[in-house]
Amino acid sequence: MIQWWQILLLTLYSAYQICDELTIVSSAGSPVFAGFITGLVMGDLGTGLFIGASLQLTVLGVGTFGGASRIDATSGAVLATAFSVAQGIKPEIAISTIAVPVAALLTYADILGRMSTTAFAHRIDAAIERFDYKGIERNYLLGAVPWALSRALPVFLALAFGGAFVQSVVDFVAKYQWFANGLTLAGRMLPGLGFAILLHYLPVKRHLHYLALGFGLTAMLTVLYSNVQSVGAAISAMLGTDAFAKLPKEQMVAFTNNFKSVSMIGVAIIGIFLAVQHFKNSQRTVVAAPASNVESGEIEDDEF
């Protein structure tokens, strides 16, 4: 069961995240951050990060153009993580049965939030004509209220009163294992769908060599560091039989697992290198050619 203080914290976060996305843009409104915060509040950080990262990859290639609305994957991550932890739902099933439907339905809440802010925009226009600076500031800040309510209100209602409905869905899925397996597979396929959408919009044909380079480096580093992991595990096992025999079992496992994330460190280093190179290239200034005092049409030499 979700506690009242958890509902309060998640509601406040939902109100803040959309305002952050529209103003500060600190990534607090991203699905992976929403999964992190919700997992922290619910006491299961691993489930929160799994659901948040899966939804982040799902919307990887989805963007808004102009005033267009998109699915609210952030609120979907909040609700899916909360109910997954509270009611023991598998993360993959929570993604396909809760996160995706909620994200799609809250598109209408996003549209309502956009429409509501136009009233404050007109009031700001009127305040500008009157040179009412206090009115401009006041209505600008009040414009954040519809945006915050467009996320906070649905999340609050779902967390406070949606437990029975979610439990009925869980009971229904538990009766039909084939249906649960299908939902699990769908939840695992969604990150791949996000990559497919992204590749559809990116100029892959023009930059195919970069795509091949990234794939090749990832494959090679994975193979390389998986061998390093095996060597580290072997060394740990040998040391554990002698000098480290008196260490607790938890510490032995932690020592062995230190080698498991080295491949991602290698990929991160390459990414940092490429980012630095791009930054340096963008900082280069083009030196203008010196101005010439030669009149138009005058020949400077007679070599030809």
Side-chain angles (χ1 to χ4, degrees), residues 6-14 38 41-42 78 82 155 159:
Q6 294 173 326
I7 297 176
L8 177 62
L9 289 178
L10 294 179
T11 301
L12 292 175
Y13 165 73
S14 299
T38 309
V41 172
M42 298 300 298
V78 171
V155 168
L159 293 176

Side-chain angles (χ1 to χ4, degrees), residues 53-54 56-62 188-202 204 211:
S54 298
Q56 185 75 59
L57 294 176
T58 302
V59 298
L60 194 62
V62 178
R188 292 175 179 174
M189 289 176 60
L190 286 175
L193 176 63
F195 275 107
I197 296 174
L198 180 64
L199 292 175
H200 177 72
Y201 286 105
L202 288 178
V204 177
L211 183 64

Side-chain angles (χ1 to χ4, degrees), residues 3 14 37-38 53 75-76 90 117 168 170 186 200 224 228 233 248 266 297:
Q3 303 298 321
S14 299
I37 292 296
T38 309
S75 299
K90 291 180 61 177
T117 55
S168 64
V170 173
H200 177 72
L224 173 64
V228 174

Side-chain angles (χ1 to χ4, degrees), residues 90-116:
K90 291 180 61 177
E92 296 88 350
I93 296 179
I95 291 171
S96 55
T97 58
I98 300 176
V100 174
V102 165
L105 287 174
L106 288 187
T107 304
Y108 298 101
D110 181 82
I111 296 173
L112 184 60
R114 292 174 185 269
M115 293 177 59
S116 302

